[in-house]
Amino acid sequence: MKKRGEIMQAEVLAILRRRGTPMSAYEVLGQLRDSHPQLAPPTIYRALAALTERGGVHRLESLNAFIACKSDSHKDASILSICDDCGEVEEFVSPDLLKALSSIAGQSGFAPTRHVIEVHGQCASCGSAQDQA
Amino acid sequence: MKKRGEIMQAEVLAILRRRGTPMSAYEVLGQLRDSHPQLAPPTIYRALAALTERGGVHRLESLNAFIACKSDSHKDASILSICDDCGEVEEFVSPDLLKALSSIAGQSGFAPTRHVIEVHGQCASCGSAQDQA
DNA sequence: CACGGGCTTGATATAACATAACAAACACAC
DNA sequence: GTGTGTTTGTTATGTTATATCAAGCCCGTG
């Protein structure tokens, strides 16, 4: 019974990609209920967990939401900038910063396994829009 | 009616400090119900929000939990290392890293207002404990 | 092929986290 | 002391997430 799960993941990913901005698990669920009226939360959460692990989806810890990974093919921890006005998210990768971070946390013998780096603020377009207001 | 709120905040902070490791809002609520049986969630969340803003408490976004700020007196964003085994949290401050981070996110005109930096892993004592296992 | 163990998925239920919205109390100006 | 704005308390509900068990599939064995 492997296929079903993979189909699920593909559908979830498609929905997230279509949206482009962060979606909660329940928003995804809502969309999917159009085609699969029976769907329950654990199914979605399992699909999202698998996708997150695979690197196809980012979980935004500070929003409890998910977003399709755009510049896919980096399974390293990303730096995510989140516009609090429009919801737009950008991904950045910086091995240097990650290294610096690991070394700071490692000062006392801590062994990092997962980095959460999220920056909230205002994206370029929302910032300039506000200037006029 | 200002005092009541401040007392609340002090009690919440005391509970968090006593514990030392992360607590969910509802754990705090449970503790407080010993002395204030009537207490409802919004009261706790308000106290936690005020404390977080003041810098007395950190919110751990990736755990939906809170912890008393130990090295208090830095209201800058902290780097938090979280041991997934024992729950121990350490705080670090690194203006350089913050600057680097802002500059990365700022590449496309993004204006950061709030940084979330959390590193999961294993603390020194849990790491060495595991070595023996 | 049947049947049985181990694993994946699905469904039900409920737990955990958080806030909206309104009511009551206070505090300060007049 | 009465009105107005603000803080706090309470009720209710909304949102996010997972435990648990049931059902289905895969595949190796007899």
Side-chain angles (χ1 to χ4, degrees), chain A residues 1 24-26 41-42 45-46 59 64 66:
Chain A
M1 215 175 182
S24 76
Y26 278 73
Y45 279 98
R46 283 198 274 245
R59 167 163 196 159
N64 294 326
F66 300 84

PDB file of all heavy atoms in Angstrom, chain A residues 1 24-26 41-42 45-46 59 64 66, chain D residues 15-21 23-26:
ATOM      1  N   MET A   1       0.849  -1.218   0.000  1.00  0.00           N
ATOM      2  CA  MET A   1       0.000   0.000   0.000  1.00  0.00           C
ATOM      3  C   MET A   1       0.864   1.240   0.000  1.00  0.00           C
ATOM      4  O   MET A   1       0.644   2.178   0.739  1.00  0.00           O
ATOM      5  CB  MET A   1      -0.878  -0.005   1.246  1.00  0.00           C
ATOM      6  CG  MET A   1      -2.242   0.581   0.984  1.00  0.00           C
ATOM      7  SD  MET A   1      -3.252   0.417   2.427  1.00  0.00           S
ATOM      8  CE  MET A   1      -4.795   1.105   1.845  1.00  0.00           C
ATOM      9  N   SER A  24      -1.748  26.362   6.056  1.00  0.00           N
ATOM     10  CA  SER A  24      -1.824  25.464   7.205  1.00  0.00           C
ATOM     11  C   SER A  24      -2.214  24.083   6.704  1.00  0.00           C
ATOM     12  O   SER A  24      -2.760  23.924   5.609  1.00  0.00           O
ATOM     13  CB  SER A  24      -2.857  25.961   8.205  1.00  0.00           C
ATOM     14  OG  SER A  24      -4.153  25.671   7.736  1.00  0.00           O
ATOM     15  N   ALA A  25      -1.945  23.097   7.526  1.00  0.00           N
ATOM     16  CA  ALA A  25      -2.308  21.726   7.155  1.00  0.00           C
ATOM     17  C   ALA A  25      -3.803  21.638   6.861  1.00  0.00           C
ATOM     18  O   ALA A  25      -4.228  20.910   5.964  1.00  0.00           O
ATOM     19  CB  ALA A  25      -1.933  20.776   8.285  1.00  0.00           C
ATOM     20  N   TYR A  26      -4.578  22.394   7.591  1.00  0.00           N
ATOM     21  CA  TYR A  26      -6.019  22.310   7.425  1.00  0.00           C
ATOM     22  C   TYR A  26      -6.512  23.003   6.166  1.00  0.00           C
ATOM     23  O   TYR A  26      -7.531  22.646   5.606  1.00  0.00           O
ATOM     24  CB  TYR A  26      -6.740  22.806   8.679  1.00  0.00           C
ATOM     25  CG  TYR A  26      -6.815  21.741   9.750  1.00  0.00           C
ATOM     26  CD1 TYR A  26      -5.693  21.379  10.478  1.00  0.00           C
ATOM     27  CD2 TYR A  26      -7.994  21.053   9.982  1.00  0.00           C
ATOM     28  CE1 TYR A  26      -5.746  20.380  11.428  1.00  0.00           C
ATOM     29  CE2 TYR A  26      -8.060  20.053  10.938  1.00  0.00           C
ATOM     30  CZ  TYR A  26      -6.938  19.712  11.665  1.00  0.00           C
ATOM     31  OH  TYR A  26      -6.986  18.718  12.597  1.00  0.00           O
ATOM     32  N   PRO A  41      -7.264  14.524   9.036  1.00  0.00           N
ATOM     33  CA  PRO A  41      -6.004  15.222   9.332  1.00  0.00           C
ATOM     34  C   PRO A  41      -4.761  14.342   9.314  1.00  0.00           C
ATOM     35  O   PRO A  41      -3.755  14.740   8.718  1.00  0.00           O
ATOM     36  CB  PRO A  41      -6.250  15.820  10.710  1.00  0.00           C
ATOM     37  CG  PRO A  41      -7.716  16.031  10.764  1.00  0.00           C
ATOM     38  CD  PRO A  41      -8.322  14.910   9.986  1.00  0.00           C
ATOM     39  N   PRO A  42      -4.762  13.189   9.940  1.00  0.00           N
ATOM     40  CA  PRO A  42      -3.504  12.439   9.985  1.00  0.00           C
ATOM     41  C   PRO A  42      -2.935  12.143   8.602  1.00  0.00           C
ATOM     42  O   PRO A  42      -1.704  12.123   8.440  1.00  0.00           O
ATOM     43  CB  PRO A  42      -3.901  11.141  10.698  1.00  0.00           C
ATOM     44  CG  PRO A  42      -5.045  11.526  11.555  1.00  0.00           C
ATOM     45  CD  PRO A  42      -5.806  12.533  10.745  1.00  0.00           C
ATOM     46  N   TYR A  45      -1.079  15.225   7.591  1.00  0.00           N
ATOM     47  CA  TYR A  45       0.128  15.409   8.381  1.00  0.00           C
ATOM     48  C   TYR A  45       1.195  14.393   8.001  1.00  0.00           C
ATOM     49  O   TYR A  45       2.387  14.717   7.976  1.00  0.00           O
ATOM     50  CB  TYR A  45      -0.188  15.332   9.883  1.00  0.00           C
ATOM     51  CG  TYR A  45      -0.734  16.642  10.404  1.00  0.00           C
ATOM     52  CD1 TYR A  45      -2.094  16.837  10.558  1.00  0.00           C
ATOM     53  CD2 TYR A  45       0.120  17.689  10.696  1.00  0.00           C
ATOM     54  CE1 TYR A  45      -2.595  18.044  11.017  1.00  0.00           C
ATOM     55  CE2 TYR A  45      -0.368  18.900  11.156  1.00  0.00           C
ATOM     56  CZ  TYR A  45      -1.731  19.070  11.316  1.00  0.00           C
ATOM     57  OH  TYR A  45      -2.214  20.274  11.760  1.00  0.00           O
ATOM     58  N   ARG A  46       0.775  13.198   7.659  1.00  0.00           N
ATOM     59  CA  ARG A  46       1.762  12.214   7.241  1.00  0.00           C
ATOM     60  C   ARG A  46       2.396  12.620   5.921  1.00  0.00           C
ATOM     61  O   ARG A  46       3.625  12.525   5.745  1.00  0.00           O
ATOM     62  CB  ARG A  46       1.121  10.824   7.144  1.00  0.00           C
ATOM     63  CG  ARG A  46       0.932  10.213   8.507  1.00  0.00           C
ATOM     64  CD  ARG A  46       0.726   8.711   8.445  1.00  0.00           C
ATOM     65  NE  ARG A  46      -0.664   8.357   8.220  1.00  0.00           N
ATOM     66  CZ  ARG A  46      -1.434   7.696   9.094  1.00  0.00           C
ATOM     67  NH1 ARG A  46      -0.938   7.327  10.261  1.00  0.00           N
ATOM     68  NH2 ARG A  46      -2.667   7.392   8.815  1.00  0.00           N
ATOM     69  N   ARG A  59       8.533  23.475   6.615  1.00  0.00           N
ATOM     70  CA  ARG A  59       7.589  23.786   7.662  1.00  0.00           C
ATOM     71  C   ARG A  59       8.001  25.117   8.275  1.00  0.00           C
ATOM     72  O   ARG A  59       9.153  25.299   8.662  1.00  0.00           O
ATOM     73  CB  ARG A  59       7.625  22.696   8.723  1.00  0.00           C
ATOM     74  CG  ARG A  59       6.918  23.147   9.913  1.00  0.00           C
ATOM     75  CD  ARG A  59       6.522  22.100  10.858  1.00  0.00           C
ATOM     76  NE  ARG A  59       5.545  22.797  11.659  1.00  0.00           N
ATOM     77  CZ  ARG A  59       4.640  22.247  12.376  1.00  0.00           C
ATOM     78  NH1 ARG A  59       4.544  20.967  12.402  1.00  0.00           N
ATOM     79  NH2 ARG A  59       3.799  22.978  13.047  1.00  0.00           N
ATOM     80  N   ASN A  64       3.256  27.756  12.113  1.00  0.00           N
ATOM     81  CA  ASN A  64       2.562  26.473  12.029  1.00  0.00           C
ATOM     82  C   ASN A  64       1.950  26.307  10.651  1.00  0.00           C
ATOM     83  O   ASN A  64       0.763  26.031  10.503  1.00  0.00           O
ATOM     84  CB  ASN A  64       1.471  26.358  13.100  1.00  0.00           C
ATOM     85  CG  ASN A  64       2.044  26.328  14.494  1.00  0.00           C
ATOM     86  OD1 ASN A  64       3.137  25.789  14.691  1.00  0.00           O
ATOM     87  ND2 ASN A  64       1.352  26.911  15.436  1.00  0.00           N
ATOM     88  N   PHE A  66       2.974  25.506   6.182  1.00  0.00           N
ATOM     89  CA  PHE A  66       3.861  24.794   5.265  1.00  0.00           C
ATOM     90  C   PHE A  66       3.920  25.525   3.935  1.00  0.00           C
ATOM     91  O   PHE A  66       2.978  26.204   3.542  1.00  0.00           O
ATOM     92  CB  PHE A  66       3.336  23.379   5.043  1.00  0.00           C
ATOM     93  CG  PHE A  66       3.246  22.577   6.305  1.00  0.00           C
ATOM     94  CD1 PHE A  66       2.122  22.681   7.130  1.00  0.00           C
ATOM     95  CD2 PHE A  66       4.268  21.749   6.702  1.00  0.00           C
ATOM     96  CE1 PHE A  66       2.033  21.957   8.307  1.00  0.00           C
ATOM     97  CE2 PHE A  66       4.199  21.013   7.878  1.00  0.00           C
ATOM     98  CZ  PHE A  66       3.073  21.121   8.683  1.00  0.00           C
TER      99      PHE A  66
ATOM    100  P    DT D  15     -10.839  28.716  12.625  1.00  0.00           P
ATOM    101  OP1  DT D  15     -10.551  29.857  11.736  1.00  0.00           O
ATOM    102  OP2  DT D  15     -11.726  27.604  12.185  1.00  0.00           O
ATOM    103  O5'  DT D  15      -9.456  28.059  13.045  1.00  0.00           O
ATOM    104  C5'  DT D  15      -8.467  28.849  13.691  1.00  0.00           C
ATOM    105  C4'  DT D  15      -7.336  27.946  14.133  1.00  0.00           C
ATOM    106  O4'  DT D  15      -7.770  27.119  15.229  1.00  0.00           O
ATOM    107  C3'  DT D  15      -6.806  27.001  13.059  1.00  0.00           C
ATOM    108  O3'  DT D  15      -5.440  27.307  12.928  1.00  0.00           O
ATOM    109  C2'  DT D  15      -7.077  25.605  13.626  1.00  0.00           C
ATOM    110  C1'  DT D  15      -7.106  25.881  15.125  1.00  0.00           C
ATOM    111  N1   DT D  15      -7.840  24.956  16.008  1.00  0.00           N
ATOM    112  C2   DT D  15      -7.149  24.335  17.039  1.00  0.00           C
ATOM    113  O2   DT D  15      -5.960  24.506  17.231  1.00  0.00           O
ATOM    114  N3   DT D  15      -7.908  23.518  17.838  1.00  0.00           N
ATOM    115  C4   DT D  15      -9.259  23.262  17.718  1.00  0.00           C
ATOM    116  O4   DT D  15      -9.831  22.517  18.494  1.00  0.00           O
ATOM    117  C5   DT D  15      -9.919  23.936  16.632  1.00  0.00           C
ATOM    118  C7   DT D  15     -11.378  23.734  16.422  1.00  0.00           C
ATOM    119  C6   DT D  15      -9.186  24.742  15.835  1.00  0.00           C
ATOM    120  P    DT D  16      -4.491  26.660  11.857  1.00  0.00           P
ATOM    121  OP1  DT D  16      -3.478  27.653  11.490  1.00  0.00           O
ATOM    122  OP2  DT D  16      -5.333  26.016  10.825  1.00  0.00           O
ATOM    123  O5'  DT D  16      -3.792  25.527  12.732  1.00  0.00           O
ATOM    124  C5'  DT D  16      -2.927  25.920  13.780  1.00  0.00           C
ATOM    125  C4'  DT D  16      -2.456  24.696  14.504  1.00  0.00           C
ATOM    126  O4'  DT D  16      -3.567  24.053  15.168  1.00  0.00           O
ATOM    127  C3'  DT D  16      -1.808  23.624  13.636  1.00  0.00           C
ATOM    128  O3'  DT D  16      -0.523  23.378  14.172  1.00  0.00           O
ATOM    129  C2'  DT D  16      -2.746  22.435  13.749  1.00  0.00           C
ATOM    130  C1'  DT D  16      -3.357  22.656  15.116  1.00  0.00           C
ATOM    131  N1   DT D  16      -4.662  22.012  15.373  1.00  0.00           N
ATOM    132  C2   DT D  16      -4.812  21.200  16.486  1.00  0.00           C
ATOM    133  O2   DT D  16      -3.907  20.980  17.268  1.00  0.00           O
ATOM    134  N3   DT D  16      -6.059  20.662  16.647  1.00  0.00           N
ATOM    135  C4   DT D  16      -7.151  20.852  15.827  1.00  0.00           C
ATOM    136  O4   DT D  16      -8.223  20.316  16.084  1.00  0.00           O
ATOM    137  C5   DT D  16      -6.927  21.709  14.694  1.00  0.00           C
ATOM    138  C7   DT D  16      -8.047  21.989  13.741  1.00  0.00           C
ATOM    139  C6   DT D  16      -5.709  22.247  14.517  1.00  0.00           C
ATOM    140  P    DA D  17       0.449  22.311  13.483  1.00  0.00           P
ATOM    141  OP1  DA D  17       1.835  22.663  13.839  1.00  0.00           O
ATOM    142  OP2  DA D  17       0.069  22.156  12.072  1.00  0.00           O
ATOM    143  O5'  DA D  17       0.066  20.984  14.267  1.00  0.00           O
ATOM    144  C5'  DA D  17       0.308  20.920  15.669  1.00  0.00           C
ATOM    145  C4'  DA D  17      -0.063  19.545  16.175  1.00  0.00           C
ATOM    146  O4'  DA D  17      -1.483  19.361  16.114  1.00  0.00           O
ATOM    147  C3'  DA D  17       0.552  18.390  15.402  1.00  0.00           C
ATOM    148  O3'  DA D  17       1.461  17.755  16.270  1.00  0.00           O
ATOM    149  C2'  DA D  17      -0.647  17.523  14.991  1.00  0.00           C
ATOM    150  C1'  DA D  17      -1.731  17.978  15.943  1.00  0.00           C
ATOM    151  N9   DA D  17      -3.112  17.873  15.467  1.00  0.00           N
ATOM    152  C8   DA D  17      -3.668  18.438  14.349  1.00  0.00           C
ATOM    153  N7   DA D  17      -4.957  18.192  14.203  1.00  0.00           N
ATOM    154  C5   DA D  17      -5.268  17.409  15.309  1.00  0.00           C
ATOM    155  C6   DA D  17      -6.470  16.827  15.744  1.00  0.00           C
ATOM    156  N6   DA D  17      -7.622  16.948  15.083  1.00  0.00           N
ATOM    157  N1   DA D  17      -6.432  16.110  16.887  1.00  0.00           N
ATOM    158  C2   DA D  17      -5.271  16.003  17.549  1.00  0.00           C
ATOM    159  N3   DA D  17      -4.075  16.507  17.242  1.00  0.00           N
ATOM    160  C4   DA D  17      -4.143  17.209  16.100  1.00  0.00           C
ATOM    161  P    DT D  18       2.284  16.489  15.801  1.00  0.00           P
ATOM    162  OP1  DT D  18       3.558  16.550  16.511  1.00  0.00           O
ATOM    163  OP2  DT D  18       2.231  16.329  14.351  1.00  0.00           O
ATOM    164  O5'  DT D  18       1.441  15.323  16.473  1.00  0.00           O
ATOM    165  C5'  DT D  18       0.967  15.530  17.804  1.00  0.00           C
ATOM    166  C4'  DT D  18       0.183  14.342  18.287  1.00  0.00           C
ATOM    167  O4'  DT D  18      -1.190  14.423  17.812  1.00  0.00           O
ATOM    168  C3'  DT D  18       0.677  12.971  17.844  1.00  0.00           C
ATOM    169  O3'  DT D  18       0.481  12.112  18.936  1.00  0.00           O
ATOM    170  C2'  DT D  18      -0.242  12.635  16.705  1.00  0.00           C
ATOM    171  C1'  DT D  18      -1.546  13.160  17.300  1.00  0.00           C
ATOM    172  N1   DT D  18      -2.624  13.377  16.327  1.00  0.00           N
ATOM    173  C2   DT D  18      -3.891  12.957  16.655  1.00  0.00           C
ATOM    174  O2   DT D  18      -4.162  12.411  17.704  1.00  0.00           O
ATOM    175  N3   DT D  18      -4.833  13.208  15.693  1.00  0.00           N
ATOM    176  C4   DT D  18      -4.638  13.824  14.467  1.00  0.00           C
ATOM    177  O4   DT D  18      -5.552  13.995  13.684  1.00  0.00           O
ATOM    178  C5   DT D  18      -3.287  14.237  14.194  1.00  0.00           C
ATOM    179  C7   DT D  18      -2.958  14.914  12.913  1.00  0.00           C
ATOM    180  C6   DT D  18      -2.359  13.999  15.123  1.00  0.00           C
ATOM    181  P    DA D  19       1.462  10.891  19.188  1.00  0.00           P
ATOM    182  OP1  DA D  19       2.586  11.412  19.976  1.00  0.00           O
ATOM    183  OP2  DA D  19       1.716  10.168  17.926  1.00  0.00           O
ATOM    184  O5'  DA D  19       0.582   9.951  20.145  1.00  0.00           O
ATOM    185  C5'  DA D  19      -0.326  10.546  21.056  1.00  0.00           C
ATOM    186  C4'  DA D  19      -1.506   9.628  21.318  1.00  0.00           C
ATOM    187  O4'  DA D  19      -2.546   9.853  20.337  1.00  0.00           O
ATOM    188  C3'  DA D  19      -1.176   8.144  21.239  1.00  0.00           C
ATOM    189  O3'  DA D  19      -1.975   7.484  22.213  1.00  0.00           O
ATOM    190  C2'  DA D  19      -1.607   7.772  19.821  1.00  0.00           C
ATOM    191  C1'  DA D  19      -2.837   8.653  19.648  1.00  0.00           C
ATOM    192  N9   DA D  19      -3.144   9.040  18.270  1.00  0.00           N
ATOM    193  C8   DA D  19      -2.280   9.555  17.349  1.00  0.00           C
ATOM    194  N7   DA D  19      -2.848   9.840  16.196  1.00  0.00           N
ATOM    195  C5   DA D  19      -4.177   9.489  16.376  1.00  0.00           C
ATOM    196  C6   DA D  19      -5.303   9.547  15.519  1.00  0.00           C
ATOM    197  N6   DA D  19      -5.246  10.005  14.269  1.00  0.00           N
ATOM    198  N1   DA D  19      -6.474   9.100  16.016  1.00  0.00           N
ATOM    199  C2   DA D  19      -6.512   8.643  17.273  1.00  0.00           C
ATOM    200  N3   DA D  19      -5.523   8.540  18.173  1.00  0.00           N
ATOM    201  C4   DA D  19      -4.376   8.992  17.655  1.00  0.00           C
ATOM    202  P    DT D  20      -1.714   5.927  22.531  1.00  0.00           P
ATOM    203  OP1  DT D  20      -1.946   5.791  23.969  1.00  0.00           O
ATOM    204  OP2  DT D  20      -0.427   5.474  21.930  1.00  0.00           O
ATOM    205  O5'  DT D  20      -2.912   5.232  21.746  1.00  0.00           O
ATOM    206  C5'  DT D  20      -4.196   5.854  21.750  1.00  0.00           C
ATOM    207  C4'  DT D  20      -5.141   5.048  20.886  1.00  0.00           C
ATOM    208  O4'  DT D  20      -5.266   5.662  19.572  1.00  0.00           O
ATOM    209  C3'  DT D  20      -4.697   3.610  20.643  1.00  0.00           C
ATOM    210  O3'  DT D  20      -5.833   2.781  20.735  1.00  0.00           O
ATOM    211  C2'  DT D  20      -4.156   3.642  19.221  1.00  0.00           C
ATOM    212  C1'  DT D  20      -5.111   4.653  18.593  1.00  0.00           C
ATOM    213  N1   DT D  20      -4.649   5.295  17.342  1.00  0.00           N
ATOM    214  C2   DT D  20      -5.599   5.581  16.372  1.00  0.00           C
ATOM    215  O2   DT D  20      -6.782   5.328  16.507  1.00  0.00           O
ATOM    216  N3   DT D  20      -5.100   6.173  15.245  1.00  0.00           N
ATOM    217  C4   DT D  20      -3.785   6.503  14.983  1.00  0.00           C
ATOM    218  O4   DT D  20      -3.473   7.030  13.930  1.00  0.00           O
ATOM    219  C5   DT D  20      -2.857   6.177  16.028  1.00  0.00           C
ATOM    220  C7   DT D  20      -1.403   6.493  15.839  1.00  0.00           C
ATOM    221  C6   DT D  20      -3.320   5.596  17.147  1.00  0.00           C
ATOM    222  P    DC D  21      -5.602   1.216  21.147  1.00  0.00           P
ATOM    223  OP1  DC D  21      -6.160   1.016  22.498  1.00  0.00           O
ATOM    224  OP2  DC D  21      -4.219   0.799  20.833  1.00  0.00           O
ATOM    225  O5'  DC D  21      -6.603   0.530  20.109  1.00  0.00           O
ATOM    226  C5'  DC D  21      -7.898   1.123  19.912  1.00  0.00           C
ATOM    227  C4'  DC D  21      -8.266   1.059  18.451  1.00  0.00           C
ATOM    228  O4'  DC D  21      -7.375   1.884  17.669  1.00  0.00           O
ATOM    229  C3'  DC D  21      -8.171  -0.348  17.849  1.00  0.00           C
ATOM    230  O3'  DC D  21      -9.373  -0.598  17.150  1.00  0.00           O
ATOM    231  C2'  DC D  21      -6.973  -0.239  16.913  1.00  0.00           C
ATOM    232  C1'  DC D  21      -7.129   1.205  16.461  1.00  0.00           C
ATOM    233  N1   DC D  21      -5.949   1.793  15.783  1.00  0.00           N
ATOM    234  C2   DC D  21      -6.154   2.477  14.570  1.00  0.00           C
ATOM    235  O2   DC D  21      -7.293   2.560  14.122  1.00  0.00           O
ATOM    236  N3   DC D  21      -5.088   3.018  13.934  1.00  0.00           N
ATOM    237  C4   DC D  21      -3.870   2.913  14.457  1.00  0.00           C
ATOM    238  N4   DC D  21      -2.856   3.466  13.797  1.00  0.00           N
ATOM    239  C5   DC D  21      -3.638   2.218  15.702  1.00  0.00           C
ATOM    240  C6   DC D  21      -4.701   1.686  16.326  1.00  0.00           C
ATOM    241  P    DA D  23     -12.357  -3.143  10.696  1.00  0.00           P
ATOM    242  OP1  DA D  23     -13.810  -3.011  10.461  1.00  0.00           O
ATOM    243  OP2  DA D  23     -11.781  -4.374  11.286  1.00  0.00           O
ATOM    244  O5'  DA D  23     -11.608  -2.856   9.330  1.00  0.00           O
ATOM    245  C5'  DA D  23     -11.726  -1.559   8.734  1.00  0.00           C
ATOM    246  C4'  DA D  23     -10.755  -1.485   7.578  1.00  0.00           C
ATOM    247  O4'  DA D  23      -9.410  -1.327   8.078  1.00  0.00           O
ATOM    248  C3'  DA D  23     -10.751  -2.730   6.696  1.00  0.00           C
ATOM    249  O3'  DA D  23     -10.839  -2.288   5.347  1.00  0.00           O
ATOM    250  C2'  DA D  23      -9.411  -3.402   7.006  1.00  0.00           C
ATOM    251  C1'  DA D  23      -8.548  -2.207   7.380  1.00  0.00           C
ATOM    252  N9   DA D  23      -7.416  -2.466   8.267  1.00  0.00           N
ATOM    253  C8   DA D  23      -7.415  -3.191   9.433  1.00  0.00           C
ATOM    254  N7   DA D  23      -6.239  -3.227  10.032  1.00  0.00           N
ATOM    255  C5   DA D  23      -5.425  -2.475   9.197  1.00  0.00           C
ATOM    256  C6   DA D  23      -4.056  -2.130   9.267  1.00  0.00           C
ATOM    257  N6   DA D  23      -3.250  -2.526  10.269  1.00  0.00           N
ATOM    258  N1   DA D  23      -3.549  -1.376   8.275  1.00  0.00           N
ATOM    259  C2   DA D  23      -4.369  -0.985   7.284  1.00  0.00           C
ATOM    260  N3   DA D  23      -5.668  -1.245   7.108  1.00  0.00           N
ATOM    261  C4   DA D  23      -6.131  -2.001   8.111  1.00  0.00           C
ATOM    262  P    DG D  24     -10.948  -3.361   4.178  1.00  0.00           P
ATOM    263  OP1  DG D  24     -11.940  -2.831   3.220  1.00  0.00           O
ATOM    264  OP2  DG D  24     -11.079  -4.719   4.770  1.00  0.00           O
ATOM    265  O5'  DG D  24      -9.513  -3.251   3.485  1.00  0.00           O
ATOM    266  C5'  DG D  24      -9.127  -1.972   2.955  1.00  0.00           C
ATOM    267  C4'  DG D  24      -7.672  -2.032   2.544  1.00  0.00           C
ATOM    268  O4'  DG D  24      -6.856  -2.294   3.709  1.00  0.00           O
ATOM    269  C3'  DG D  24      -7.362  -3.144   1.539  1.00  0.00           C
ATOM    270  O3'  DG D  24      -6.673  -2.540   0.460  1.00  0.00           O
ATOM    271  C2'  DG D  24      -6.475  -4.120   2.324  1.00  0.00           C
ATOM    272  C1'  DG D  24      -5.844  -3.216   3.366  1.00  0.00           C
ATOM    273  N9   DG D  24      -5.435  -3.849   4.614  1.00  0.00           N
ATOM    274  C8   DG D  24      -6.202  -4.608   5.457  1.00  0.00           C
ATOM    275  N7   DG D  24      -5.554  -5.022   6.520  1.00  0.00           N
ATOM    276  C5   DG D  24      -4.276  -4.504   6.365  1.00  0.00           C
ATOM    277  C6   DG D  24      -3.131  -4.618   7.192  1.00  0.00           C
ATOM    278  O6   DG D  24      -3.014  -5.216   8.269  1.00  0.00           O
ATOM    279  N1   DG D  24      -2.036  -3.938   6.656  1.00  0.00           N
ATOM    280  C2   DG D  24      -2.049  -3.225   5.472  1.00  0.00           C
ATOM    281  N2   DG D  24      -0.915  -2.645   5.118  1.00  0.00           N
ATOM    282  N3   DG D  24      -3.116  -3.114   4.680  1.00  0.00           N
ATOM    283  C4   DG D  24      -4.192  -3.778   5.184  1.00  0.00           C
ATOM    284  P    DC D  25      -6.497  -3.342  -0.902  1.00  0.00           P
ATOM    285  OP1  DC D  25      -6.754  -2.377  -1.994  1.00  0.00           O
ATOM    286  OP2  DC D  25      -7.219  -4.642  -0.845  1.00  0.00           O
ATOM    287  O5'  DC D  25      -4.944  -3.649  -0.885  1.00  0.00           O
ATOM    288  C5'  DC D  25      -4.041  -2.532  -0.923  1.00  0.00           C
ATOM    289  C4'  DC D  25      -2.686  -3.035  -0.501  1.00  0.00           C
ATOM    290  O4'  DC D  25      -2.783  -3.598   0.820  1.00  0.00           O
ATOM    291  C3'  DC D  25      -2.142  -4.139  -1.397  1.00  0.00           C
ATOM    292  O3'  DC D  25      -1.053  -3.593  -2.132  1.00  0.00           O
ATOM    293  C2'  DC D  25      -1.759  -5.264  -0.429  1.00  0.00           C
ATOM    294  C1'  DC D  25      -1.765  -4.557   0.936  1.00  0.00           C
ATOM    295  N1   DC D  25      -2.097  -5.374   2.135  1.00  0.00           N
ATOM    296  C2   DC D  25      -1.112  -5.597   3.102  1.00  0.00           C
ATOM    297  O2   DC D  25       0.023  -5.146   2.930  1.00  0.00           O
ATOM    298  N3   DC D  25      -1.428  -6.316   4.202  1.00  0.00           N
ATOM    299  C4   DC D  25      -2.665  -6.799   4.369  1.00  0.00           C
ATOM    300  N4   DC D  25      -2.942  -7.486   5.489  1.00  0.00           N
ATOM    301  C5   DC D  25      -3.689  -6.576   3.410  1.00  0.00           C
ATOM    302  C6   DC D  25      -3.372  -5.857   2.309  1.00  0.00           C
ATOM    303  P    DC D  26      -0.036  -4.466  -2.962  1.00  0.00           P
ATOM    304  OP1  DC D  26       0.736  -3.565  -3.846  1.00  0.00           O
ATOM    305  OP2  DC D  26      -0.725  -5.659  -3.514  1.00  0.00           O
ATOM    306  O5'  DC D  26       0.910  -4.960  -1.798  1.00  0.00           O
ATOM    307  C5'  DC D  26       1.937  -4.082  -1.326  1.00  0.00           C
ATOM    308  C4'  DC D  26       3.033  -4.955  -0.769  1.00  0.00           C
ATOM    309  O4'  DC D  26       2.509  -5.689   0.369  1.00  0.00           O
ATOM    310  C3'  DC D  26       3.545  -6.000  -1.756  1.00  0.00           C
ATOM    311  O3'  DC D  26       4.959  -6.039  -1.621  1.00  0.00           O
ATOM    312  C2'  DC D  26       2.848  -7.285  -1.315  1.00  0.00           C
ATOM    313  C1'  DC D  26       2.746  -7.072   0.200  1.00  0.00           C
ATOM    314  N1   DC D  26       1.637  -7.778   0.909  1.00  0.00           N
ATOM    315  C2   DC D  26       1.882  -8.322   2.179  1.00  0.00           C
ATOM    316  O2   DC D  26       2.998  -8.220   2.680  1.00  0.00           O
ATOM    317  N3   DC D  26       0.867  -8.946   2.837  1.00  0.00           N
ATOM    318  C4   DC D  26      -0.352  -9.021   2.276  1.00  0.00           C
ATOM    319  N4   DC D  26      -1.322  -9.644   2.979  1.00  0.00           N
ATOM    320  C5   DC D  26      -0.617  -8.473   0.980  1.00  0.00           C
ATOM    321  C6   DC D  26       0.386  -7.864   0.337  1.00  0.00           C
TER     322       DC D  26
END
